[in-house]
Amino acid sequence: MAKSDPTTPRERYRTQVRAEVMERAWEQIATAGASALSLNAIAKQMGLSGPALYRYFANRDELITELVREAYRSLADTFAAAAADGADLAGLAHALRTWALADPQRYLLVYGTPVPGYQAPEDTTAISREIATTLLDACTAALPPAAPASPLGTHLADHRTWAADHPAPPEALALFLTLWTRLHGVLSLELAGHFTGLQFDPETLFDAELAALLP
């Protein structure tokens, strides 16, 4: 016998409405950016009044937080699945690019220009740490034995609070930061359209940056 759904019809309806609001919000972000997100505009699209929609999301920031959580969770799950399949550091880098190109709005919301006046709550940071942990594990595994010290690694030996309690050695921290910043630089330019008309393949540039960074 199939298990009965423990939720009530009202709870299921609330979940459906919130899901549709978020879908409409992603459409708005794709058209005008996250800073232009408007609950009143979404309510109008859905045939609801503004006050009615505020029963599902108290304000714009609550909606943005749910979108941020959804984006981070999607990338964290993508990395976890890739790592479970045996992806190395290069594999994770390509998983990042594939994820970003599949839905640029998710990428740009969490890694693009910050939304004015918005501050993400602590639990969204916790999800982003899952992403960092997977990459730090891969950076540690990619380092050759007795990797020579670099100026950045030496600096990070005493400046590693951002890595929380991850046991990665300083050179793995250095590899993580250089990889993360340079690959995001290429991806951000690509997704913002800055390579349009330059007549080269952005993936080739991404691969070149990755090859230059890997030990």
Side-chain angles (χ1 to χ4, degrees), residues 93-209:
H94 283 289
L96 169 65
R97 184 172 186 271
T98 298
W99 176 84
L101 293 179
D103 195 340
Q105 309 319 316
R106 290 182 306 188
Y107 176 91
L108 293 172
L109 180 63
V110 293
Y111 296 119
T113 303
V115 179
Y118 173 75
Q119 180 66 45
E122 178 61 28
D123 68 328
T124 60
T125 304
I127 303 173
S128 70
R129 286 198 187 108
E130 291 182 40
I131 298 167
T133 295
T134 303
L135 280 176
L136 281 169
D137 289 344
C139 287
T140 301
L143 281 180
S150 67
L152 178 57
T154 300
H155 173 75
L156 292 174
D158 296 319
H159 297 82
R160 56 180 301 145
T161 55
W162 58 272
D165 57 354
H166 197 286
E171 290 309 315
L173 301 182
L175 177 58
F176 171 90
L177 285 181
T178 52
L179 183 91
W180 196 240
T181 54
R182 284 172 63 173
L183 295 188
H184 274 302
V186 175
L187 277 174
S188 295
L189 288 170
E190 180 180 4
L191 293 177
H194 292 295
F195 296 151
T196 302
L198 297 184
Q199 299 183 346
F200 71 85
D201 182 4
E203 185 175 7
T204 302
L205 174 60
F206 186 89
D207 287 341
E209 285 291 279

Side-chain angles (χ1 to χ4, degrees), residues 24-95:
R24 303 271 185 175
W26 284 123
E27 292 170 357
Q28 266 197 18
I29 291 172
T31 301
S35 61
L37 194 61
S38 167
L39 265 69
N40 286 330
I42 292 172
K44 185 176 180 180
Q45 288 178 329
M46 295 176 62
L48 299 172
S49 67
L53 194 61
Y54 284 103
R55 292 201 297 266
Y56 301 96
F57 290 94
N59 50 47
R60 182 205 67 159
D61 283 5
E62 182 181 328
L63 175 55
I64 292 175
T65 293
E66 287 304 306
L67 297 173
V68 168
R69 287 193 187 111
E70 183 177 89
Y72 272 137
R73 173 48 53 202
S74 175
L75 181 55
D77 290 347
T78 296
F79 273 6
D85 286 341
D88 58 7
L89 189 55
L92 291 175
H94 283 289

